[in-house]
Amino acid sequence: MTTTTPTATPTTAPAPAPTPTPTPTTNGRVIALAHYASRALLEGVLTRHGATFHQSVTLRALVLGGESMGHDELVGDVTGSLKVDESVVRDVIEDLTATKLLEKDPADAARIRLTDAGRELYERTGAETAEISARLYADIPSEDLAIAGRVLALITKRANAELAAV
């Protein structure tokens, strides 16, 4: 008589359930991480062109202001954007003028305007960063971008009000 021993079937423990990735909430850290990651990309472009972030913000303010602005108006605009001391912005304007990217407006010496070289730098760096932005924002639904825009605008408004109260 032959006895057979049942063969043991290897048992496999069930695979653990994947840990769900938490949906990030909007808070200062999440906003800061997005800002600094994208700013690092921008600064890479600017560095290749011999420009700084502060210079880029100043050139952009002039472009948005019609390429010519009153000196004090430009200082106020950039100071408000960067949240830095006016002396920092005045130094940036001085540097941009020394490198012939800005100049006094011949029609009104109290105004500053872009030179052709300043406009070219702004356009070149803007084109490169537009390509990066297109990749970063690709496939994000327009509704999500609109909501994020509204939320960030509200946070900016509230933060500016807090700063004004200090």
Side-chain angles (χ1 to χ4, degrees):
M1 173 164 155
T2 316
T3 33
T4 56
T5 323
T7 55
T9 320
T11 57
T12 328
T19 305
T21 305
T23 303
T25 185
T26 301
N27 59 38
R29 182 173 188 276
V30 170
I31 293 168
L33 290 173
H35 164 76
Y36 286 115
S38 57
R39 181 170 168 177
L41 293 168
L42 168 61
E43 287 190 9
V45 170
L46 295 172
T47 298
R48 284 195 303 278
H49 292 281
T52 67
F53 180 72
H54 286 64
Q55 289 172 335
S56 173
V57 171
T58 304
L59 293 174
R60 180 176 177 79
L62 266 168
V63 167
L64 295 177
E67 298 195 10
S68 175
M69 294 175 79
H71 188 276
D72 291 341
E73 179 186 5
L74 178 58
V75 169
D77 187 316
V78 176
T79 300
S81 294
L82 294 175
K83 309 299 186 245
V84 296
D85 191 76
E86 282 187 10
S87 65
V88 172
V89 177
R90 291 183 192 284
D91 288 345
V92 170
I93 292 170
E94 196 174 294
D95 290 344
L96 289 169
T97 303
T99 57
K100 308 287 188 221
L101 297 171
L102 300 182
E103 65 186 3
K104 288 189 179 197
D105 191 329
D108 182 351
R111 296 179 69 80
I112 303 290
R113 73 176 187 180
L114 279 173
T115 63
D116 290 340
R119 188 176 309 98
E120 182 182 324
L121 174 63
Y122 175 79
E123 289 171 357
R124 234 184 0 235
T125 57
E128 285 185 44
T129 57
E131 291 175 12
I132 294 168
S133 293
R135 290 191 301 273
L136 297 179
Y137 291 90
D139 303 325
I140 299 175
S142 58
E143 308 82 44
D144 290 354
L145 292 172
I147 291 167
R150 287 192 302 272
V151 169
L152 292 173
L154 179 58
I155 291 168
T156 301
K157 180 180 174 182
R158 289 177 178 176
N160 284 334
E162 291 275 334
L163 286 168
V166 175

